[in-house]
Amino acid sequence: MKGLVHAQLLDGQGGAQTLTADQALAWQPGQGVLWLHLDYTLPDAESWLTHHGVSPLIAEALLTQETRPRASLMRDGTLVYLRGVNLTPGAQPEDMIAVRLWVTPERIISTQRRPLRAVADMLSDLSEGAGPTHAHGLLVSLIDRLTWNMEDVVDQVEDQIGGYEEVGLLRQSRAVRNDIGRVRRRVSVLRRYLAPQRDALSRLLDASGPLGDTERGLLREVLDRLLRLLEDLDTAREHATIAQEDLSNRLADDLNRRMYILAVVSIIFLPLGVLTGLLGVNLAGIPASESPYAFAGFVGILLTVVAGISLVLKRNRWL
């Protein structure tokens, strides 16, 4: 059967045994806690869920494509939707990856479409014997890993914004303004999923559910870090907005200065153009056309016009 990414049988001491597909199909609750990880886009994922006795409602929730973080406590288990940043080389971190989990005391079934580093880290911990010992411990440890990875991305965003602020002070560039705009969009996307993830963790923490004291303590710490990340994102968004607006204002001021200079030059030379155009026509009757002093006199008139216009502009504080 296709659709199985991995199957781990927790040994209760921090380690796990990797099961083949046949062993996972033959698993019974008394053998230990099973972590079944599926790719919901493959055709046999639904068959795996049916074989392991997952209800149609939960199966539909685990196979749905569009999800927002949430947590639902049910009579026979806990359904959790989470999001993690995409740390695949070349990918955008804000292109967040969804993971869905159905957790019962004897089994964890998770589904996703793309690889998630937090899941790989969990497998590494289990292979080294330093992983969780039971189902809900695995859930909280996975949430902890997801949050740590988010912290790295948020720190990178803050560093980017700080760098753009420094560059914007030294160099007025529309490219820098566009870069800041992209970072603002990244912050918005991250916050779009982190806010409901905070609510989901609060739901898990506040409920009188299956979590033990140790898991509650770790989840409370994770929730505190997540709240701090949201505050950091809000601060980063404000800094990005201020930096972008400041850069836009300085670019606009620079453009206005150029336009102002062009307007002043146009005001000064427009009358001169009218005069030279009027006296430059090839028609009879141009005054003083035969006089040797006509050109010098005409230049003097032009200079007088320029001086007069400049004086008017200066009195009106346009210069």
Side-chain angles (χ1 to χ4, degrees), residues 150-158 190 194 229 232-233:
M150 290 174 188
E151 288 195 14
D152 295 337
V153 173
V154 173
D155 289 341
Q156 292 174 8
V157 169
E158 291 181 318
L190 289 172
L194 290 189
L229 289 181
D232 291 343
L233 285 176

Side-chain angles (χ1 to χ4, degrees), residues 54-114:
V54 177
S55 67
L57 178 64
I58 300 301
E60 181 181 359
L62 291 175
L63 297 176
T64 186
Q65 294 189 12
E66 297 298 328
T67 61
R68 284 176 62 83
R70 67 183 180 93
S72 300
L73 300 178
M74 302 182 180
R75 183 182 60 182
D76 51 350
T78 305
L79 179 65
V80 184
Y81 291 166
L82 299 171
R83 287 272 181 166
V85 291
N86 190 350
L87 299 179
T88 304
Q92 297 296 327
E94 67 272 18
D95 180 22
M96 302 189 77
I97 301 173
V99 58
R100 309 146 187 82
L101 299 103
W102 172 243
V103 185
T104 63
E106 66 277 352
R107 182 180 54 199
I108 309 102
I109 299 179
S110 56
T111 63
Q112 68 179 60
R113 178 169 62 92
R114 292 175 292 175

Side-chain angles (χ1 to χ4, degrees), residues 241-260:
T241 301
I242 293 172
Q244 191 175 30
E245 290 178 351
D246 180 65
L247 184 56
S248 297
N249 291 336
R250 285 190 283 118
L251 288 172
D253 290 342
D254 194 33
L255 178 61
N256 290 336
R257 274 196 303 273
R258 294 190 181 101
M259 296 300 296
Y260 171 75

Side-chain angles (χ1 to χ4, degrees), residues 281-301:
V281 294
N282 295 320
L283 296 175
I286 299 298
S289 60
E290 302 298 330
S291 173
Y293 305 106
F295 179 74
F298 181 65
V299 171
I301 293 173

Side-chain angles (χ1 to χ4, degrees), residues 13-288:
Q13 298 179 354
Q17 174 189 355
T18 301
L19 303 182
T20 64
D22 292 335
Q23 290 173 328
L25 288 171
W27 171 85
Q28 297 296 324
Q31 296 176 350
V33 176
L34 175 68
W35 178 17
L36 201 66
H37 192 60
L38 306 174
D39 183 344
Y40 70 86
T41 63
L42 297 181
D44 291 335
E46 186 173 0
S47 300
W48 278 99
L49 299 176
T50 302
H51 176 81
H52 281 273
V54 177
S55 67
L57 178 64
I58 300 301
E60 181 181 359
L62 291 175
L63 297 176
T64 186
Q65 294 189 12
E66 297 298 328
T67 61
R68 284 176 62 83
R70 67 183 180 93
S72 300
L73 300 178
M74 302 182 180
R75 183 182 60 182
D76 51 350
T78 305
L79 179 65
V80 184
Y81 291 166
L82 299 171
R83 287 272 181 166
V85 291
N86 190 350
L87 299 179
T88 304
Q92 297 296 327
E94 67 272 18
D95 180 22
M96 302 189 77
I97 301 173
V99 58
R100 309 146 187 82
L101 299 103
W102 172 243
V103 185
T104 63
E106 66 277 352
R107 182 180 54 199
I108 309 102
I109 299 179
S110 56
T111 63
Q112 68 179 60
R113 178 169 62 92
R114 292 175 292 175
L116 196 59
R117 179 177 293 183
V119 174
D121 292 340
M122 293 292 300
L123 291 175
S124 178
D125 289 345
L126 289 171
S127 66
E128 296 174 359
T133 59
H134 55 280
H136 292 94
L138 189 147
L139 170 63
V140 175
S141 296
L142 180 60
I143 295 172
D144 183 41
R145 289 281 188 179
L146 291 173
T147 306
W148 277 119
N149 292 339
M150 290 174 188
E151 288 195 14
D152 295 337
V153 173
V154 173
D155 289 341
Q156 292 174 8
V157 169
E158 291 181 318
D159 292 341
Q160 283 181 324
I161 293 175
Y164 288 141
E165 286 180 326
E166 294 178 1
V167 171
L169 292 174
L170 299 176
R171 177 168 55 91
Q172 297 179 15
S173 169
R174 286 179 174 80
V176 175
R177 184 180 61 181
N178 295 335
D179 290 340
I180 296 175
R182 282 192 290 270
V183 175
R184 287 182 62 186
R185 288 190 291 273
R186 174 175 295 181
V187 170
S188 298
V189 172
L190 289 172
R191 202 185 188 291
R192 174 187 173 191
Y193 290 109
L194 290 189
Q197 191 139 311
R198 170 201 58 196
D199 298 336
L201 300 191
S202 299
R203 170 75 172 158
L204 287 174
L205 189 60
D206 294 341
S208 56
L211 297 183
D213 293 338
T214 302
E215 287 75 32
R216 285 181 178 277
L218 177 57
L219 188 59
R220 188 175 292 107
E221 179 185 346
V222 173
L223 182 58
D224 289 340
R225 295 206 315 269
L226 189 56
L227 291 173
R228 182 177 59 81
L229 289 181
L230 285 169
E231 293 174 354
D232 291 343
L233 285 176
D234 289 337
T235 303
R237 182 169 57 183
E238 292 177 1
H239 286 171
T241 301
I242 293 172
Q244 191 175 30
E245 290 178 351
D246 180 65
L247 184 56
S248 297
N249 291 336
R250 285 190 283 118
L251 288 172
D253 290 342
D254 194 33
L255 178 61
N256 290 336
R257 274 196 303 273
R258 294 190 181 101
M259 296 300 296
Y260 171 75
I261 293 172
L262 291 176
V264 170
V265 171
S266 299
I267 291 173
I268 293 175
F269 284 95
L270 181 60
L272 305 186
V274 172
L275 293 175
T276 54
L278 180 62
L279 297 178
V281 294
N282 295 320
L283 296 175
I286 299 298

